Amino acid sequence: MRHSDVTLDNCLKCSDCNSVCPVMTAHPAYPGPKHLGPELERFRREGLPCDSDWLEYCLGCERCDMACPNQVNVAELIIEAKGRHKKPPMRRLRDYLLARPGLLGMVLSVAPQVTDRLLALGAMKKLMSWTAGIAAERSFPAYHRESLAGHQGHRVGAERVMFYLGCSMRYNEQKLGRACFSLLTHNDIEAEVSQSACCGYPALANGDPAEARCRVRANLEELSAAVDRGLPILTACTSCGQMLKTGFTALLGDDPALAEKARKVEAAIYDLGEFLMLRAEQGRLNTRFAEIRHGALAYHSPCHQTTQGLARPWYHLLRQVPGMEIEDMNAGCCGMAGTFGFKQEKYAVSMAVGNKLFQAIEQAAPELAVSECPTCRMQMTHGTGVPSVHPAELLLEAYDGKDALAS
Amino acid sequence: MQSLKYDLIVVGAGLSGLVAAATAAEAGGRVAVVHGGLGTFVYGAGCIADLPAEGGEEQRRAVAFFEAMTEAAGSPYYGQPGDRHMLPTILGTFQPVSLVPFCLWGGRVQAGARVSVAGIAGLSSFDARFTAERLNQQAEELGLQSRYVPRIIDLPHEGSVPHSTLNIANRFDRDEPFRRLFAERLRAVQGECDQILLPACLGQQTSRIDIEDFQAQLGRPLGELPTLPPSMAGLRLNNRLLGHLRRRGVEMIGGYPLLSLDLADGICRGVVVDNPGRARTLAAKSVVLACGPQSETLLPGWSRRVDARQRPLNDQNQLLAEGIHVAGALLFPTGRRGGNGRAIVSGHAAALMAAGREKSHAA
């Protein structure tokens, strides 16, 4: 998302956005970003009726934004339209819940053994598909009770950062969180775990800007206090990163009392890979890597890493490790798009978008699939059966000389 | 640990920039392309018509590199500098082209040929009857011995989706049975012809092998006619080249315009990109500016002249800064017959000069 004040007149109707849209590629009836973004916006500004059910099919990958030669903020216009889109009651209820992974996580991780067993039951899946429109083909990630908090890797004189977890790491992937803290400890960095909850992106993606505003407003104070203490804020989730770098000004920027804080926080957000890569460039990264003995690794770069303008920091870091055989699939969007792939009526589109990536992974026949984004990882494993990891776990292996999957 | 600083940052993802990036990557450098979105490159078809037959050593090297690069990308070119292959257009004119993208090659004028101009019923951006009629008139005026006959085929719709070149191309990419059906329908109407013309819609990812497979089912040469944007000929070339660059390790950093060059004390040390959250400085040993005539503002004080190594000069003919080389349409803002040839030659040269290799390579 770009917040430069770009007028609609910059849209020349060249269709570059349509040509790179993964949904258009897989699903011919989808009208595409040019229509759902700039075209509907014109109607909206005139107060004309402009709702479309197709708005729900936008993945939010923002490839349209990246392609536009005139810096039209196509994806942001679609998000705007999603926020005004009217849904039938059952879809509205389901999307209300999917917009709040923090709330879901809090409830489901109270008794994780019960939750996991219940969610894995065939009958339960069918029931959720009929009543709530949750794709029966999908498996929910396992929930855990462990809560990550406090100061990790404390040592006198260590450099300090704030670590933003995100819902996936907070409720499901605590192991990845610990791996990230260890990586930092190996570099003499102490991580202060942020207590901030959901970044608000799932709310935006599900057409709930009010909830997204609540989330960013709630997170602003803790994060801006951290910035005032001189701490950079790190996250290992690329979608959280994208939201934390843009969402505060997008949602709170019109309030003069908050705009300054919003900009300050956004400027202090780093993807963990971006942060480590910067240190590598400054010669301050611990590079005492043990040799890794793995089969082939298939790497997928998430859309929200590209939209941060980061290129592929983790991929390049991993390639520095002796023995690491990692190949970039370069097969476009995975189609999961966070909660999108969980929706029954969108499941087929989600899988059709991901098909190119699945084929590439199957051809590479890797031991592991690797990606920064938690839902990209779910999709890769769902579509190919190949287990998947965050690159941080592999880098930690290189420090520790231990297998990432053995836990 | 090897250095993570870029050896070369190329600004601009048009033909010149992509050739510069490929040149540097081929020599093993760490290369990034920074761009603000797809350029005008994808609107055209990548035809090269502005290179003379006797172009000198620099041109010969650049063209040889470009031919090898496009071949490796699966989207080769045919023809030589100085050639005048007459290519039909959708407006019913003929365009002389020297180096021809593979998907257009089968449509070039061949004396005495009977040519089927295949239209697709319901495709609004192409009218086979209009094109064929105009081509016949033009052919007669130019004394070209070929005859054009319109043929309309029906392609099945997916649901109620109207045909567009993009929809047909996307389907061509993902749907094997559709490709076979498409070929069958073409075969059924082509009649006694020597060549087939078709609006460019044969996939936006397709390689030479895919299109040759398709052509083999027709039993005669097939040439695409580039359409209005989104033009599959240009998009396909762009997609193939981007895939090739990524396999060669080039990093594409797209979607955000450059704020400025990182200039201090007469040296350029990188570029400053308007990324989300904060502007990011990407450090590089050299920068190639191949971002079109609109980006002059990146070089305050530039006289529009360059030295023999394509480095920008100020009004006193002094070097504006070390570490910058200019290429493409920024170097040649007004182009006759397009600027693709000069984009390739200057892009290739700029990358060699940035690496200080222009001499050794010539030897």
Side-chain angles (χ1 to χ4, degrees), chain B:
Chain B
M1 184 159 174
Q2 75 189 69
S3 166
L4 291 164
K5 180 178 166 179
Y6 292 106
D7 293 303
L8 181 68
I9 287 179
V10 177
V11 185
L15 198 49
S16 194
L18 298 184
V19 170
T23 303
E26 209 70 31
R30 202 168 121 77
V31 186
V33 176
V34 177
H35 65 90
L38 299 178
T40 49
F41 171 48
V42 299
Y43 303 154
C47 290
I48 297 162
D50 60 335
L51 293 180
E54 302 301 325
E57 185 53 26
E58 194 179 69
Q59 175 180 311
R60 196 195 57 72
R61 273 190 284 134
V63 169
F65 178 84
F66 181 71
E67 284 175 340
M69 163 192 173
T70 46
E71 174 74 39
S75 56
Y77 274 70
Y78 303 118
Q80 306 276 341
D83 285 1
R84 280 173 62 86
H85 303 287
M86 298 303 271
L87 295 185
T89 71
I90 55 164
L91 288 177
T93 59
F94 292 94
Q95 179 194 11
V97 175
S98 312
L99 285 154
V100 184
F102 73 103
C103 49
L104 275 53
W105 179 247
R108 72 196 184 284
V109 171
Q110 287 171 315
R114 293 156 302 170
V115 187
S116 287
V117 182
I120 296 163
L123 176 66
S124 61
S125 56
F126 180 69
D127 182 341
R129 290 180 201 89
F130 167 81
T131 303
E133 186 187 320
R134 294 264 301 147
L135 284 173
N136 282 325
Q137 283 172 10
Q138 286 276 305
E140 206 176 312
E141 280 170 31
L142 295 169
L144 301 170
Q145 316 283 310
S146 44
R147 203 157 45 78
Y148 294 87
V149 187
R151 308 276 183 192
I152 311 296
I153 63 164
D154 273 308
L155 286 179
H157 287 262
E158 290 178 283
S160 57
V161 182
H163 284 321
S164 71
T165 50
L166 182 61
N167 275 339
I168 295 172
N170 283 338
R171 197 168 175 193
F172 193 91
D173 278 333
R174 69 167 184 267
D175 187 347
E176 177 64 33
F178 173 74
R179 287 191 196 199
R180 282 199 299 276
L181 179 84
F182 197 162
E184 268 167 38
R185 296 271 159 99
L186 277 175
R187 220 173 28 232
V189 300
Q190 66 194 9
E192 292 292 303
C193 75
D194 307 303
Q195 279 173 287
I196 300 172
L197 291 175
L198 187 73
C201 63
L202 300 178
Q204 56 160 327
Q205 307 290 340
T206 27
S207 70
R208 175 178 60 86
I209 297 167
D210 302 317
I211 293 202
E212 281 179 359
D213 277 354
F214 189 74
Q215 192 172 262
Q217 296 175 54
L218 303 173
R220 33 186 71 55
L222 174 81
E224 282 188 320
L225 298 168
T227 63
L228 289 172
S231 169
M232 292 312 124
L235 275 169
R236 182 187 307 134
L237 177 61
N238 180 63
N239 289 337
R240 300 297 315 179
L241 292 180
L242 293 186
H244 172 73
L245 288 177
R246 189 142 159 181
R247 284 191 295 278
R248 290 283 189 277
V250 175
E251 209 58 74
M252 300 297 298
I253 302 173
Y256 302 99
L258 222 60
L259 287 174
S260 63
L261 298 169
D262 182 14
L263 284 172
D265 313 322
I267 301 173
C268 177
R269 292 189 169 82
V271 301
V272 185
V273 189
D274 190 12
N275 276 163
R278 62 186 169 273
R280 241 161 35 107
T281 303
L282 304 174
K285 291 177 191 154
S286 312
V287 172
V288 166
L289 284 184
C291 37
Q294 324 260 311
S295 39
E296 264 184 65
T297 46
L298 290 172
L299 290 173
W302 185 32
S303 63
R304 307 215 45 88
R305 287 186 301 275
V306 291
D307 71 359
R309 302 185 61 220
Q310 293 177 208
R311 294 179 299 177
L313 300 172
N314 66 15
D315 284 331
Q316 283 79 49
N317 274 346
Q318 292 157 331
L319 214 53
L320 208 62
E322 294 276 0
I324 309 173
H325 299 263
V326 183
L330 185 56
L331 196 55
F332 306 106
T334 51
R336 280 183 58 222
R337 292 202 178 161
N340 282 347
R342 280 170 297 181
I344 292 164
V345 175
S346 63
H348 183 62
L352 291 178
M353 288 160 177
R357 295 196 303 127
E358 71 271 29
K359 293 280 174 353
S360 62
H361 204 278

Side-chain angles (χ1 to χ4, degrees), chain A residues 318-332:
Chain A
L318 290 181
R319 282 167 66 94
Q320 305 285 324
V321 175
M324 190 83 79
E325 264 181 71
I326 184 162
E327 191 194 341
D328 181 6
M329 296 293 101
N330 189 23

Side-chain angles (χ1 to χ4, degrees), chain A residues 237-313:
Chain A
C237 168
T238 41
S239 292
C240 291
Q242 168 72 12
M243 183 66 182
L244 295 171
K245 284 179 178 181
T246 58
F248 293 104
T249 49
L251 294 162
L252 308 172
D254 291 339
D255 183 339
L258 303 176
E260 183 52 38
K261 267 188 190 173
R263 269 194 300 276
K264 192 177 66 187
V265 170
E266 287 179 352
I269 307 292
Y270 293 82
D271 177 79
L272 177 58
E274 174 189 13
F275 183 79
L276 294 177
M277 186 59 121
L278 268 176
R279 290 179 73 90
E281 280 170 16
Q282 296 157 354
R284 296 197 298 141
L285 183 76
N286 172 359
T287 54
R288 290 187 298 276
F289 298 131
E291 187 162 336
I292 288 290
R293 302 211 177 277
H294 258 301
L297 303 170
Y299 173 74
H300 163 69
S301 174
C303 300
H304 285 168
Q305 175 164 265
T306 311
T307 55
Q308 290 181 56
L310 295 183
R312 298 168 292 177

